[in-house]
Amino acid sequence: MMKWMRLTIMLLGLCVGGCALHGYQPVKYDEYPAVRQMFDITFGWKMAVADNVMTINGYARNNRYFIVQDLDLAISLVAENGKVKETGTFFFLPTELRQEENSRFTIRLGTRPEPGDKLRFVYRYRYVEDSEDSHTWLNSFEVKALD
């Protein structure tokens, strides 16, 4: 029993130590050429396409509320006719974003965008403003997949 406890503590120490070696890397907003600022959340992102996989790396920033909780983001590649080709989802960590804080995301879609395609961003979260009560919010926006 004692041997397993030591092993568990050592593994936990390695995991935490590995994170500490890299340190906190703040988001550099100018690295993200696409930005959509909503009243509540700002999203910035950049896209890369290789081997029929589109990768969208970005950040979300809480502009409005005291606390945003359980933020999740779904990005869909939508054809010109409105048909959804593929959707990827990301659940943000930490689960709480205070006002002016941000968090990164990465979503991979296993299809290549074509002319006329759009990206549909759908995000959802709970927020706390001036009390202990939380409220749920859902919003979306679309952008051209190719510029």
Side-chain angles (χ1 to χ4, degrees):
M1 180 71 168
M2 192 68 139
K3 185 177 182 179
W4 286 108
M5 190 185 311
R6 284 185 193 157
L7 181 62
T8 302
I9 291 172
M10 286 175 48
L11 288 174
L12 182 62
L14 284 173
C15 291
V16 172
C19 294
L21 290 175
H22 292 287
Y24 172 73
Q25 301 295 321
V27 171
K28 296 177 183 168
Y29 298 114
D30 58 347
E31 291 180 359
Y32 300 95
V35 175
R36 177 60 68 102
Q37 183 171 350
M38 309 297 274
F39 77 96
D40 53 351
I41 306 283
T42 296
F43 291 97
W45 68 93
K46 56 186 172 185
M47 297 182 301
V49 178
D51 298 328
N52 289 327
V53 175
M54 180 169 58
T55 303
I56 305 162
N57 291 305
Y59 69 88
R61 180 177 183 271
N62 175 7
N63 301 328
R64 167 79 171 82
Y65 296 107
F66 178 64
I67 296 174
V68 166
Q69 299 173 323
D70 304 325
L71 175 63
D72 67 71
L73 171 66
I75 300 178
S76 299
L77 183 62
V78 181
E80 194 170 15
N81 65 5
K83 181 181 176 191
V84 174
K85 293 180 173 183
E86 188 165 351
T87 300
T89 303
F90 186 86
F91 299 97
F92 286 84
L93 291 174
T95 58
E96 287 190 353
L97 283 179
R98 298 201 178 267
Q99 193 170 14
E100 309 299 323
E101 288 183 345
N102 55 58
S103 184
R104 291 184 173 88
F105 68 86
T106 298
I107 293 180
R108 289 180 183 81
L109 301 175
T111 187
R112 182 179 286 274
E114 298 173 359
D117 287 354
K118 294 182 178 183
L119 291 175
R120 179 180 298 143
F121 289 68
V122 178
Y123 63 99
R124 176 181 51 205
Y125 59 85
R126 292 182 308 121
Y127 67 91
V128 177
E129 195 160 22
D130 293 329
S131 67
E132 294 180 9
D133 296 333
S134 69
H135 307 277
T136 301
W137 183 255
L138 173 71
N139 202 2
S140 66
F141 61 91
E142 289 185 354
V143 297
K144 292 179 182 178
L146 298 173
D147 290 304

